Amino acid sequence: DAGVIQSPRHEVTEMGQEVTLRCKPISGHDYLFWYRQTMMRGLELLIYFNNNVPIDDSGMPEDRFSAKMPNASFSTLKIQPSEPRDSAVYFCASSLDLRGLITEAFFGQGTRLTVV
Amino acid sequence: AQKITQTQPGMFVQEKEAVTLDCTYDTSDPSYGLFWYKQPSSGEMIFLIYQGSYDQQNATEGRYSLNFQKARKSANLVISASQLGDSAMYFCAMSQGAQKLVFGQGTRLTINP
């Protein structure tokens, strides 16, 4: 398996523009997570899905952020409009549900977003 | 609420020495999992080791072991015979029930030749 695949790897955009980050989880995984990493706040969970259904979006900073998972192999995180404070590395991760047992999450390479 | 604390912002160790990275956690749930991840300078997050709250023995994976002290709510990572390639950020994380991970602030480990 190729692992969790994120695109793009790097994104530079101007303030006010719409940004869409993409993620393909590991095939067969039931959970998908979006994390944001900054120097100030570390790794924060933004939202996660179970079987394509959003379970907890309490980490989404504000209404400018939205995430979708239209099928088991694809998810998007959208920021509209983007602001300089959104600059961060955004990670997507996926994990397997083993009958309720906790399992490790596998991370993508991340998308480094810079909003100027 | 879950909380993970890593009190060592940075550590410097001589190559081939063992190193212990500290992690304490706070939860009232009896069922939880504890994880360590490595983040090298290239940026990817690499899973290292996992310990379940009901596991009787400390987890080990090659040169990595997890010193799990449940009563103290600590889950320290021990790296034996450190190598230059071990230089990286190390994150402790906890998950309970819902699979989602809550991360500590991380420890930057530098291995000196």
Side-chain angles (χ1 to χ4, degrees), chain A residues 9 31 33 35 37 40-43 45 48 56 91 95-98 101-109, chain B residues 31-33 35 37 39 42-47 50 91 95-105 108:
Chain A
R9 291 291 310 278
Y31 287 88
F33 309 86
Y35 285 89
Q37 185 178 31
M40 291 298 295
R41 300 175 68 90
L43 274 157
L45 177 65
Y48 77 97
D56 183 352
F91 285 102
S95 67
L96 187 63
D97 184 349
L98 287 177
L101 292 177
I102 298 171
T103 60
E104 70 268 29
F106 293 86
F107 282 73
Q109 297 279 70
Chain B
S31 178
Y32 51 89
F35 301 79
Y37 282 82
Q39 187 176 41
S42 52
E44 70 268 33
M45 295 288 287
I46 302 168
F47 166 73
Y50 163 78
F91 292 95
S95 174
Q96 54 184 86
Q99 297 275 7
K100 66 179 184 180
L101 292 172
V102 175
F103 285 85
Q105 287 295 98
R108 182 171 298 281

Side-chain angles (χ1 to χ4, degrees), chain A:
Chain A
D1 199 317
V4 177
I5 299 173
Q6 291 186 246
S7 64
R9 291 291 310 278
H10 302 274
E11 177 81 33
V12 180
T13 190
E14 291 185 348
M15 182 174 61
Q17 296 296 307
E18 177 180 295
V19 176
T20 300
L21 310 182
R22 297 173 175 79
C23 175
K24 176 176 166 45
I26 292 174
S27 177
H29 279 193
D30 312 275
Y31 287 88
L32 184 139
F33 309 86
W34 282 101
Y35 285 89
R36 178 173 69 176
Q37 185 178 31
T38 60
M39 287 293 291
M40 291 298 295
R41 300 175 68 90
L43 274 157
E44 305 172 275
L45 177 65
L46 300 178
I47 185 171
Y48 77 97
F49 297 82
N50 179 216
N51 293 323
N52 313 339
V53 176
I55 301 301
D56 183 352
D57 65 354
S58 59
M60 296 286 261
E62 46 197 278
D63 292 346
R64 296 184 297 106
F65 285 70
S66 63
K68 294 182 180 179
M69 191 165 185
N71 57 63
S73 59
F74 184 65
S75 176
T76 59
L77 178 67
K78 186 176 293 186
I79 308 172
Q80 165 65 16
S82 57
E83 296 182 2
R85 60 190 168 127
D86 301 331
S87 297
V89 179
Y90 291 80
F91 285 102
C92 176
S94 69
S95 67
L96 187 63
D97 184 349
L98 287 177
R99 300 179 191 173
L101 292 177
I102 298 171
T103 60
E104 70 268 29
F106 293 86
F107 282 73
Q109 297 279 70
T111 294
R112 182 174 295 277
L113 173 65
T114 304
V115 183
V116 298

